[in-house]
Amino acid sequence: MTELRHILRVLDDLAPLRYAESWDNVGLLVGDPSADVKHVLVTVDYTREVAEEARAAGAELVVAYHPPIFAAMKRVPHDALWVDAVRRGVALYSPHTALDVAKGGTNDFLADACGVHAADRRAIRPHPSKDAHTKLVTFVPADAVEKVSEAIFAAGAGRIGAYTQCSFRTAGTGTFFGGEGANPAVGAAGRLETVDEIRLETLVPLGRTDDVVRAMRAAHPYEEPAFDLVRLAPPGEGPAIGLGRVGPIDEAPRRAIVDALKGALGVAHVLVAGPLDGTAKTVAVAAGAGGELMEDAIRAGADVFVTGELRHHDALSAARRGVTVIAALHSNSERAAVRAHAKRIAERLGDGVRVTTSTRDADPFVVT
């Protein structure tokens, strides 16, 4: 028997809630963190059948990938499944998009199934972490470096933890040749100029980048200041943190990718639009309703795009451009990954808590 609060820490470690989309409703939705838990039931959807399964099994916690409570409400419906959970003292927890974004989550499962190289995969839409920064590097005449520094610091650059006005400066030599119409602040147009400059580097919160660049331009003495912006990954995170995955595979027949995906998901049928002949070198995946990521995936060079569901006209558009779209149905694209997530939960919790996956959970659509 384990306190729920301990299990919550494990769940957040496996799929950090900070990764969830802002519109999502994740985490502990129902339950007392001080309650004791002996049995965790993991499911994609918390349906009436799954609720009955949890009751019969004596599960004190249900981890439901899709949030059982999603939209805000002003009245509590007495017959809602989550209300029944409150009455019976059953806790409900949802990871949803946090699991989509996290390493080893739903999208990594699909990427693995399609053979996307783990070392080279990246998110289709990187997670906009609150800790994300860019590094600004600019080159300033020595006598103007303090003015430029003060301007960019005032605009939000240069903060590291409790410290402000943080920068690194390196002396060097800059060169330029002003062409016709140039009006250089140093030297003259029409000849090669050499200037003693300071390379000024500092961190900029991602959301303040535009403000800092504007301040830098306004304070900089040069007509056209040179600068670099380098997107930095937060510590412990990398290019594969975000929605969807895209990356190279060992070149394979497109039909083989379809078959491999069906096997990994445990389904007999998937929907396919676009060419089935020929080979693919790059695959993108987006579990669930991933249609909004399709254009980004195609721009990233995907030959094959795997999702749960997408709009008819999006499928036509992809097929017209020679991209193979595979739609497994919404929860079918997630269920096998959720089962794998249950195994990881069980491994982390050890023998003190029983973790099972629902046998009653199923996609609402069937092929007849």
Side-chain angles (χ1 to χ4, degrees), residues 32-101:
D32 177 2
S34 64
D36 290 325
V37 175
K38 293 184 293 185
H39 186 177
V40 179
L41 181 69
V42 181
T43 182
V44 174
D45 292 303
Y46 188 61
T47 61
R48 196 164 300 281
E49 292 79 10
V50 173
E52 175 57 28
E53 180 183 11
R55 186 200 64 76
E60 298 91 356
L61 168 63
V62 176
V63 176
Y65 169 75
H66 289 139
I69 306 171
F70 192 78
M73 58 186 71
K74 295 182 178 180
R75 294 175 178 81
V76 178
H78 75 281
D79 58 347
L81 289 174
W82 65 266
V83 174
D84 177 65
V86 173
R87 292 193 189 105
R88 295 191 291 110
V90 175
L92 301 176
Y93 181 97
S94 176
H96 202 204
T97 54
L99 187 59
D100 293 341
V101 170

Side-chain angles (χ1 to χ4, degrees), residues 114 254 257 280 282-285 297 301-306 323-326:
C114 295
R254 299 188 188 211
I257 296 170
T282 303
V283 173
V285 301
D303 306 305
V304 174
F305 178 63
V306 177
V323 176
T324 303
V325 172
I326 307 171

Side-chain angles (χ1 to χ4, degrees), residues 121-146:
R121 72 181 60 161
R122 62 191 187 279
I124 297 175
R125 185 173 296 169
H127 178 67
S129 170
K130 64 182 177 61
D131 298 322
H133 286 76
T134 54
K135 181 170 73 171
L136 170 67
V137 180
T138 189
F139 307 88
V140 190
D143 59 0
V145 71
E146 295 303 332

Side-chain angles (χ1 to χ4, degrees), residues 176-353:
F176 65 86
F177 186 98
E180 184 178 349
N183 184 27
V186 177
R191 68 186 189 195
L192 180 66
E193 296 287 358
T194 300
V195 184
D196 291 334
E197 293 180 331
I198 302 296
R199 176 188 170 103
L200 175 64
E201 304 180 38
T202 190
L203 289 181
V204 182
L206 192 60
R208 302 302 300 272
T209 302
D210 289 344
D211 294 337
V212 170
V213 169
R214 279 194 293 268
M216 182 270 296
R217 286 184 180 276
H220 204 294
Y222 287 175
E223 185 179 27
E224 293 291 345
F227 64 95
D228 299 326
L229 288 173
V230 182
R231 174 72 181 269
L232 304 177
E237 301 181 7
I241 294 296
L243 288 176
R245 298 289 188 268
V246 61
I249 64 170
D250 293 334
E251 187 171 358
R254 299 188 188 211
R255 288 182 183 273
I257 296 170
V258 173
D259 291 339
L261 183 67
K262 287 160 62 176
L265 298 181
V267 298
H269 305 282
V270 293
L271 301 175
V272 179
L276 270 173
D277 295 330
T279 61
K281 296 180 180 179
T282 303
V283 173
V285 301
E292 68 175 275
L293 299 178
M294 188 189 79
E295 289 299 325
D296 290 336
I298 293 174
R299 280 193 290 271
D303 306 305
V304 174
F305 178 63
V306 177
T307 188
E309 59 176 301
L310 77 167
R311 298 183 305 176
H312 173 82
H313 291 288
D314 289 338
L316 288 176
S317 174
R320 186 171 59 249
R321 287 177 281 176
V323 176
T324 303
V325 172
I326 307 171
L329 294 185
H330 189 114
S331 70
N332 282 347
S333 70
E334 303 158 338
R335 187 161 288 102
V338 170
R339 293 193 188 106
H341 185 55
K343 292 180 180 179
R344 293 195 298 158
I345 296 171
E347 290 169 358
R348 290 290 299 273
L349 293 179
D351 296 333
V353 180

